[in-house]
Coordinates of all heavy atoms in Angstrom, one line a residue:
Chain A
Q54 N 134.8 198.1 117.2 CA 134.4 196.8 116.8 C 133.8 196.8 115.4 O 132.9 197.6 115.1 CB 133.3 196.2 117.7 CG 133.0 194.8 117.5 CD 132.0 194.2 118.5 OE1 132.3 194.3 119.7 NE2 131.0 193.6 118.1
T55 N 134.4 196.0 114.5 CA 134.0 196.0 113.1 C 133.3 194.7 112.7 O 132.7 194.7 111.7 CB 135.2 196.2 112.1 OG1 136.1 195.1 112.3 CG2 135.9 197.5 112.4
E56 N 133.4 193.7 113.6 CA 132.7 192.5 113.3 C 132.3 191.7 114.5 O 133.1 191.7 115.5 CB 133.6 191.6 112.4 CG 133.0 190.3 112.0 CD 133.3 189.9 110.5 OE1 133.8 190.8 109.8 OE2 132.9 188.8 110.1
N57 N 131.1 191.2 114.5 CA 130.6 190.3 115.6 C 130.0 189.2 114.9 O 128.9 189.3 114.3 CB 129.7 191.1 116.5 CG 129.0 190.1 117.6 OD1 129.0 188.9 117.4 ND2 128.5 190.7 118.6
N58 N 130.7 188.1 114.9 CA 130.2 187.0 114.0 C 129.2 186.1 114.7 O 129.3 184.9 114.9 CB 131.5 186.1 113.7 CG 131.6 185.9 112.2 OD1 130.9 186.5 111.4 ND2 132.5 185.0 111.8
S59 N 128.0 186.8 115.0 CA 126.9 186.0 115.6 C 127.3 185.3 116.8 O 126.9 184.1 117.0 CB 126.3 185.1 114.6 OG 125.9 185.7 113.4
V60 N 128.1 185.9 117.7 CA 128.6 185.3 118.9 C 127.6 185.5 120.0 O 127.0 186.6 120.1 CB 129.9 185.9 119.3 CG1 130.4 185.3 120.6 CG2 131.0 185.8 118.2
P61 N 127.3 184.5 120.8 CA 126.3 184.6 121.9 C 126.7 185.7 122.9 O 127.9 185.9 123.1 CB 126.3 183.2 122.5 CG 126.8 182.3 121.5 CD 127.8 183.1 120.7
S62 N 125.7 186.3 123.5 CA 126.0 187.5 124.4 C 126.8 187.1 125.6 O 127.2 187.9 126.4 CB 124.7 188.2 124.7 OG 123.8 187.2 125.4
R63 N 126.9 185.8 125.9 CA 127.7 185.4 127.1 C 129.2 185.6 126.9 O 130.0 185.5 127.8 CB 127.4 183.9 127.4 CG 127.7 182.9 126.3 CD 127.2 181.5 126.8 NE 127.6 180.5 125.8 CZ 126.8 180.1 124.8 NH1 125.6 180.7 124.7 NH2 127.1 179.2 124.0
F64 N 129.5 185.9 125.6 CA 130.9 186.4 125.3 C 130.8 187.9 125.1 O 130.1 188.4 124.2 CB 131.4 185.7 124.1 CG 131.6 184.2 124.2 CD1 130.6 183.4 123.9 CD2 132.8 183.7 124.7 CE1 130.8 182.0 124.0 CE2 133.0 182.4 124.9 CZ 132.0 181.5 124.5
S65 N 131.6 188.7 125.8 CA 131.6 190.1 125.7 C 133.0 190.7 125.5 O 133.8 190.6 126.4 CB 130.9 190.7 126.9 OG 131.0 192.1 126.9
P66 N 133.3 191.2 124.3 CA 134.7 191.7 124.1 C 134.8 193.1 124.6 O 133.8 193.9 124.7 CB 134.8 191.7 122.6 CG 133.4 191.9 122.1 CD 132.5 191.3 123.1
E67 N 136.0 193.5 124.9 CA 136.4 194.9 125.2 C 137.7 195.2 124.7 O 138.7 194.4 124.8 CB 136.4 195.0 126.8 CG 136.7 196.4 127.2 CD 136.9 196.5 128.7 OE1 136.8 195.5 129.4 OE2 137.3 197.6 129.2
C68 N 137.8 196.4 124.1 CA 139.1 196.8 123.5 C 139.4 198.3 124.0 O 139.0 199.2 123.3 CB 139.1 196.7 122.0 SG 140.7 197.1 121.2
P69 N 140.0 198.4 125.1 CA 140.2 199.8 125.7 C 141.2 200.6 124.9 O 141.2 201.8 124.9 CB 140.8 199.5 127.1 CG 141.4 198.1 127.0 CD 140.5 197.4 126.0
N70 N 142.2 200.0 124.2 CA 143.1 200.6 123.4 C 143.7 199.6 122.3 O 143.3 198.5 122.4 CB 144.3 201.2 124.2 CG 145.0 200.2 125.1 OD1 145.5 199.2 124.6 ND2 144.9 200.4 126.4
S71 N 144.5 200.1 121.4 CA 144.9 199.2 120.3 C 145.8 198.1 120.7 O 146.0 197.2 120.0 CB 145.6 200.1 119.2 OG 144.7 200.9 118.6
S72 N 146.3 198.2 121.9 CA 147.3 197.1 122.4 C 146.6 196.1 123.2 O 147.2 195.0 123.5 CB 148.4 197.8 123.2 OG 149.1 198.7 122.4
H73 N 145.4 196.3 123.7 CA 144.8 195.4 124.6 C 143.4 195.0 124.2 O 142.6 195.8 123.7 CB 144.7 196.0 126.0 CG 146.0 196.3 126.7 ND1 146.7 197.4 126.5 CD2 146.7 195.5 127.6 CE1 147.8 197.3 127.2 NE2 147.8 196.2 127.8
L74 N 143.1 193.7 124.4 CA 141.8 193.1 124.0 C 141.4 192.1 125.1 O 142.3 191.4 125.6 CB 141.9 192.4 122.7 CG 140.7 191.8 122.1 CD1 139.7 193.0 121.7 CD2 141.0 191.0 120.8
F75 N 140.2 192.2 125.5 CA 139.7 191.3 126.6 C 138.5 190.6 126.0 O 137.8 191.0 125.1 CB 139.2 192.1 127.8 CG 140.3 192.8 128.5 CD1 140.7 194.1 128.2 CD2 141.0 192.2 129.5 CE1 141.7 194.8 128.8 CE2 142.1 192.9 130.2 CZ 142.4 194.2 129.8
L76 N 138.2 189.4 126.6 CA 137.0 188.7 126.3 C 136.4 188.3 127.7 O 137.0 187.5 128.4 CB 137.3 187.4 125.5 CG 136.1 186.7 125.0 CD1 135.3 187.5 124.0 CD2 136.5 185.4 124.3
H77 N 135.3 188.9 128.0 CA 134.6 188.7 129.3 C 133.6 187.5 129.1 O 132.9 187.5 128.1 CB 133.9 189.9 129.7 CG 134.8 191.1 129.9 ND1 135.9 191.1 130.7 CD2 134.8 192.3 129.2 CE1 136.5 192.3 130.6 NE2 135.9 193.0 129.7
L78 N 133.7 186.6 130.0 CA 132.9 185.4 129.9 C 131.9 185.3 131.1 O 132.3 185.5 132.3 CB 133.8 184.2 130.0 CG 135.1 184.2 129.1 CD1 136.0 183.0 129.4 CD2 134.8 184.3 127.6
H79 N 130.7 184.9 130.8 CA 129.7 184.7 131.9 C 128.7 183.7 131.5 O 128.2 183.7 130.4 CB 129.1 186.0 132.4 CG 128.3 186.7 131.4 ND1 126.9 186.5 131.4 CD2 128.6 187.5 130.3 CE1 126.4 187.2 130.4 NE2 127.4 187.8 129.7
T80 N 128.3 182.9 132.5 CA 127.3 181.8 132.3 C 127.6 181.0 131.0 O 126.7 180.8 130.1 CB 125.9 182.3 132.3 OG1 125.7 183.3 131.2 CG2 125.5 183.0 133.6
L81 N 128.8 180.5 130.9 CA 129.2 179.7 129.7 C 128.6 178.3 129.8 O 128.1 177.8 130.9 CB 130.7 179.6 129.6 CG 131.4 180.9 129.3 CD1 132.9 180.6 129.0 CD2 130.7 181.7 128.2
Q82 N 128.6 177.6 128.6 CA 128.1 176.3 128.5 C 129.3 175.3 128.3 O 130.4 175.8 127.8 CB 127.2 176.2 127.3 CG 126.0 177.2 127.4 CD 125.1 176.9 128.6 OE1 124.7 175.7 128.9 NE2 124.8 177.9 129.4
P83 N 129.2 174.1 128.6 CA 130.3 173.1 128.3 C 130.8 173.1 126.9 O 132.0 173.0 126.6 CB 129.7 171.8 128.7 CG 128.6 172.1 129.7 CD 128.1 173.4 129.3
E84 N 129.9 173.4 125.9 CA 130.3 173.4 124.5 C 131.2 174.6 124.2 O 131.7 174.7 123.1 CB 129.1 173.3 123.5 CG 128.1 174.5 123.7 CD 127.0 174.1 124.6 OE1 127.1 173.3 125.5 OE2 125.9 174.7 124.4
D85 N 131.3 175.6 125.1 CA 132.2 176.7 124.9 C 133.6 176.3 125.2 O 134.5 177.2 125.0 CB 131.7 177.9 125.8 CG 130.4 178.4 125.4 OD1 130.0 178.4 124.2 OD2 129.6 178.7 126.3
S86 N 133.9 175.2 125.8 CA 135.2 174.7 126.0 C 136.0 174.7 124.7 O 135.5 174.0 123.7 CB 135.2 173.3 126.7 OG 134.6 173.4 127.9
A87 N 137.1 175.3 124.7 CA 137.9 175.4 123.4 C 139.2 176.2 123.7 O 139.5 176.6 124.8 CB 137.1 176.2 122.3
L88 N 140.0 176.3 122.7 CA 141.2 177.2 122.7 C 140.8 178.5 122.1 O 140.3 178.6 121.0 CB 142.3 176.6 121.9 CG 143.6 177.3 121.9 CD1 144.3 177.3 123.3 CD2 144.6 176.7 120.9
Y89 N 140.9 179.6 122.9 CA 140.6 180.9 122.4 C 141.9 181.6 122.0 O 142.8 181.8 122.9 CB 139.8 181.7 123.5 CG 138.4 181.1 123.6 CD1 138.2 180.0 124.4 CD2 137.4 181.6 122.8 CE1 136.9 179.4 124.4 CE2 136.1 181.1 122.9 CZ 135.9 180.0 123.7 OH 134.6 179.4 123.7
L90 N 141.9 182.0 120.8 CA 143.2 182.6 120.2 C 142.9 184.1 119.9 O 141.9 184.5 119.3 CB 143.6 181.9 118.9 CG 144.1 180.5 119.1 CD1 144.1 179.8 117.7 CD2 145.5 180.5 119.7
C91 N 143.9 184.9 120.4 CA 143.9 186.3 120.0 C 144.9 186.5 118.9 O 145.9 185.8 118.8 CB 144.3 187.1 121.3 SG 144.5 188.9 121.0
A92 N 144.6 187.5 118.0 CA 145.5 187.8 117.0 C 145.5 189.3 116.7 O 144.6 190.0 117.1 CB 145.2 187.0 115.7
S93 N 146.6 189.7 116.1 CA 146.6 191.1 115.7 C 147.1 191.3 114.2 O 147.8 190.3 113.7 CB 147.5 192.0 116.6 OG 148.8 191.6 116.5
S94 N 146.8 192.4 113.6 CA 147.4 192.7 112.3 C 147.6 194.2 112.2 O 147.0 194.9 113.0 CB 146.5 192.2 111.2 OG 145.3 192.9 111.1
Q95 N 148.3 194.6 111.2 CA 148.6 196.1 111.1 C 147.3 196.9 111.1 O 147.1 197.8 111.8 CB 149.4 196.4 109.8 CG 149.9 197.8 109.7 CD 150.8 198.2 110.9 OE1 151.7 197.5 111.2 NE2 150.5 199.3 111.5
D96 N 146.3 196.4 110.3 CA 145.0 197.0 110.3 C 144.1 196.0 109.7 O 144.5 194.9 109.2 CB 144.9 198.4 109.6 CG 145.5 198.3 108.2 OD1 145.1 197.4 107.5 OD2 146.4 199.1 107.9

Side-chain angles (χ1 to χ4, degrees):
Chain A
Q54 185 174 311
T55 61
E56 184 137 350
N57 175 340
N58 231 13
S59 303
V60 180
S62 60
R63 56 186 185 269
F64 295 91
S65 174
E67 179 190 0
C68 188
N70 55 61
S71 293
S72 299
H73 293 85
L74 185 64
F75 295 89
L76 188 62
H77 303 299
L78 316 172
H79 65 97
T80 59
L81 294 191
Q82 305 298 311
E84 60 265 28
D85 297 323
S86 298
L88 181 68
Y89 288 85
L90 291 165
C91 174
S93 70
S94 65
Q95 187 60 50
D96 53 52

